[in-house]
Amino acid sequence: QIDEKHLSGVSSIFATAQQSVLTESRSMLARLGRPNYVTPTNYLELVKGYCKLLIEKRKTVGDQANKLKNGLQKLSDTAVQVADMSVELEQKKKIVAKATVECEEMLVVIVQEKRVVDEQEKQVNAESEKIAKDEVETRKIADDAQGDLDKALPALEAAQNALELLNKKDMSEIKAYSKPPPAVEMVLEAVMVLRKSEPKWAEAKKQLGD
């Protein structure tokens, strides 16, 4: 169906076309002697053909218009989504920027703490080396002391045995010394060591008096 506003123009075109065909048919008959018949049926076929073409074109244009409308709607929806995503992106940028600053600050702290730990580790290693060295030296001193003790024990045992042989007279004689002979003094000092007393002649003389 043709719109009312276009009906007059379309009718005029059809009439003009029909009149032009009639005019050309008469001209062809006069020039060539060949008749060309134009009937109302031909006119109706022209109208039907136009209507059919109009329907097809309307459908084609309508489909294209719908596609365009859908495309524009999608573009509009996409624009809204892009705007929302832009806002969300800006918010996430702020979050990322804040997290980046926090990570950098944490990294500084970690580096500082690692330096402290490394320094402490160096000190511990140095202390461990010193302790190991001192342990070796202490072991050597202990071994030397044990060697000296092993050498002194026989003499100490002999002194103790000799001390047991002393009688009261001998004890009185020893106490009478203001300074005993070196051998006697050494024996008495050894006895003081066994008694866990001060290894001096004065202490030995005092204990002899007791």
Side-chain angles (χ1 to χ4, degrees), residues 22-125:
L22 290 173
T23 301
E24 288 297 324
S25 295
R26 286 193 293 269
S27 175
M28 186 174 67
L29 179 61
R31 287 184 289 105
L32 302 176
R34 295 180 59 182
N36 180 49
Y37 301 101
V38 180
T39 65
T41 302
N42 298 131
Y43 183 78
L44 292 176
E45 289 296 329
L46 175 63
V47 173
K48 288 180 180 179
Y50 173 80
C51 290
K52 181 180 179 182
L53 181 62
L54 179 62
I55 292 172
E56 292 176 355
K57 292 299 180 181
R58 279 181 174 175
K59 184 177 183 305
T60 301
V61 172
D63 292 342
Q64 292 177 347
N66 288 332
K67 289 181 180 179
L68 179 60
K69 182 179 179 181
N70 292 334
L72 292 174
Q73 184 61 45
K74 288 182 179 179
L75 287 175
S76 177
D77 295 341
T78 302
V80 173
Q81 292 177 359
V82 169
D84 293 340
M85 291 173 64
S86 297
V87 173
E88 184 179 356
L89 179 61
E90 289 300 322
Q91 293 175 348
K92 289 184 177 180
K93 281 183 178 179
K94 293 179 181 178
I95 295 174
V96 170
K98 181 179 178 182
T100 301
V101 173
E102 292 176 351
C103 287
E104 290 176 351
E105 293 175 351
M106 187 178 297
L107 182 61
V108 172
V109 174
I110 291 174
V111 171
Q112 293 175 347
E113 290 180 350
K114 187 176 185 303
R115 289 176 181 172
V116 173
V117 170
D118 291 342
E119 186 63 28
Q120 291 177 347
E121 185 178 1
K122 290 180 181 178
Q123 294 177 0
V124 169
N125 291 336

Side-chain angles (χ1 to χ4, degrees), residues 78-201:
T78 302
V80 173
Q81 292 177 359
V82 169
D84 293 340
M85 291 173 64
S86 297
V87 173
E88 184 179 356
L89 179 61
E90 289 300 322
Q91 293 175 348
K92 289 184 177 180
K93 281 183 178 179
K94 293 179 181 178
I95 295 174
V96 170
K98 181 179 178 182
T100 301
V101 173
E102 292 176 351
C103 287
E104 290 176 351
E105 293 175 351
M106 187 178 297
L107 182 61
V108 172
V109 174
I110 291 174
V111 171
Q112 293 175 347
E113 290 180 350
K114 187 176 185 303
R115 289 176 181 172
V116 173
V117 170
D118 291 342
E119 186 63 28
Q120 291 177 347
E121 185 178 1
K122 290 180 181 178
Q123 294 177 0
V124 169
N125 291 336
E127 289 293 332
S128 298
E129 292 177 359
K130 184 177 182 300
I131 290 172
K133 183 178 179 181
D134 292 343
E135 185 178 358
V136 172
E137 293 179 355
T138 302
R139 175 60 60 185
K140 182 179 179 182
I141 293 172
D143 292 342
D144 292 343
Q146 185 64 44
D148 293 340
L149 181 61
D150 292 341
K151 292 178 181 178
L153 281 177
L156 185 61
E157 185 177 354
Q160 187 174 5
N161 292 333
L163 184 62
E164 291 177 355
L165 297 176
L166 293 176
N167 53 35
K168 190 173 182 180
K169 179 182 177 183
D170 295 329
M171 299 293 286
S172 298
E173 184 179 348
I174 292 172
K175 284 192 295 182
Y177 288 125
S178 59
K179 182 171 179 58
V184 174
E185 185 175 5
M186 183 180 68
V187 170
L188 291 175
E189 288 177 355
V191 172
M192 292 299 100
V193 171
L194 289 175
R195 294 175 63 87
K196 297 182 180 180
S197 300
E198 185 181 6
K200 299 291 185 179
W201 160 244

